[in-house]
Amino acid sequence: MRFYMMVVASSALLAGCAPIEHTQAIVEPAGQVRTVPVGGAVASINKQKNLPNVFGASDIYGRRVDTGYIKIVYHGVTRDGGILLRQTDVDIHSNASVLTRMPSTYSEASSASIHGNASGGQATVTGSAHGSTFAMAPHAETNVVLPPNVTEFVVPKGKTLTLSTGQVVEFIEAESHQVSYRIVAPKR
């Protein structure tokens, strides 16, 4: 039984020591042919990281915090048939941690006293009650959205675009007013 308890305690301790992991996840589904107009998003990628605990490691409950997004927008075709894209990369810096995500708690104290005396008889009443509760309020969470990093680039005609998430954008047909494409999952 002691061995079992040590294994459980060690597992909990090691889980609380996992490093912070940054991830990116694409919003658009893979495998479907999609068509977007000029100004339409070809790919939207959400960025997150593990919520840090008080030791700077990952939260043992798996909670996450947003760290920004990447949006790739279609902007037309070049004279030689290249696909003009604009990528906007936004980072969010946050002080979010397990301390900012705690449930709100408060402190309260109360007391009551009763004293009495009755005339014409031998009665005296005395009593008192005291109570208090204490809890802590979470730290304030702040998020700072940094200025976007915007980059325009051209994907040459007949070429694909590999995203930071590993998926590949295969362009099917590009016209001045719209583009048709498919997002393909990475090969394993």
Side-chain angles (χ1 to χ4, degrees):
M1 183 66 171
R2 283 186 180 170
F3 176 75
Y4 175 74
M5 294 303 288
M6 287 181 61
V7 168
V8 170
S10 297
S11 297
L13 182 61
L14 290 175
C17 295
I20 299 294
E21 180 181 295
H22 294 261
T23 60
Q24 295 183 1
I26 189 163
V27 174
E28 290 78 13
Q32 298 177 358
V33 174
R34 297 173 40 102
T35 301
V36 295
V38 169
V42 171
S44 302
I45 299 168
N46 293 327
K47 300 187 288 185
Q48 292 186 328
K49 71 175 183 177
N50 298 89
L51 190 66
N53 65 20
V54 295
F55 303 109
S58 293
D59 174 43
I60 62 172
Y61 299 110
R63 294 178 289 182
R64 304 186 61 72
V65 61
D66 291 331
T67 58
Y69 65 88
I70 298 170
K71 188 167 290 244
I72 300 174
V73 176
Y74 178 64
H75 274 273
V77 290
T78 62
R79 290 182 187 203
D80 60 352
I83 298 163
L84 181 60
L85 300 171
R86 176 178 291 161
Q87 177 174 310
T88 303
D89 192 347
V90 175
D91 287 324
I92 300 172
H93 286 229
S94 176
N95 73 336
S97 71
V98 295
L99 297 175
T100 63
R101 301 278 175 96
M102 291 186 337
S104 297
T105 53
Y106 304 97
S107 175
E108 188 67 41
S110 62
S111 64
S113 296
I114 299 172
H115 299 283
N117 207 349
S119 59
Q122 291 278 348
T124 302
V125 177
T126 304
S128 66
H130 299 279
S132 66
T133 56
F134 173 78
M136 295 171 38
H139 295 270
E141 185 171 311
T142 58
N143 296 302
V144 177
V145 179
L146 299 179
N149 181 12
V150 179
T151 307
E152 286 190 0
F153 59 96
V154 175
V155 176
K157 185 176 183 175
K159 298 290 182 175
T160 61
L161 172 66
T162 301
L163 302 172
S164 60
T165 56
Q167 284 95 342
V168 174
V169 180
E170 295 177 344
F171 296 99
I172 299 167
E173 183 179 1
E175 300 177 42
S176 61
H177 66 286
Q178 69 183 18
V179 66
S180 296
Y181 65 97
R182 175 186 309 114
I183 296 174
V184 180
K187 294 176 180 160
R188 296 184 187 228

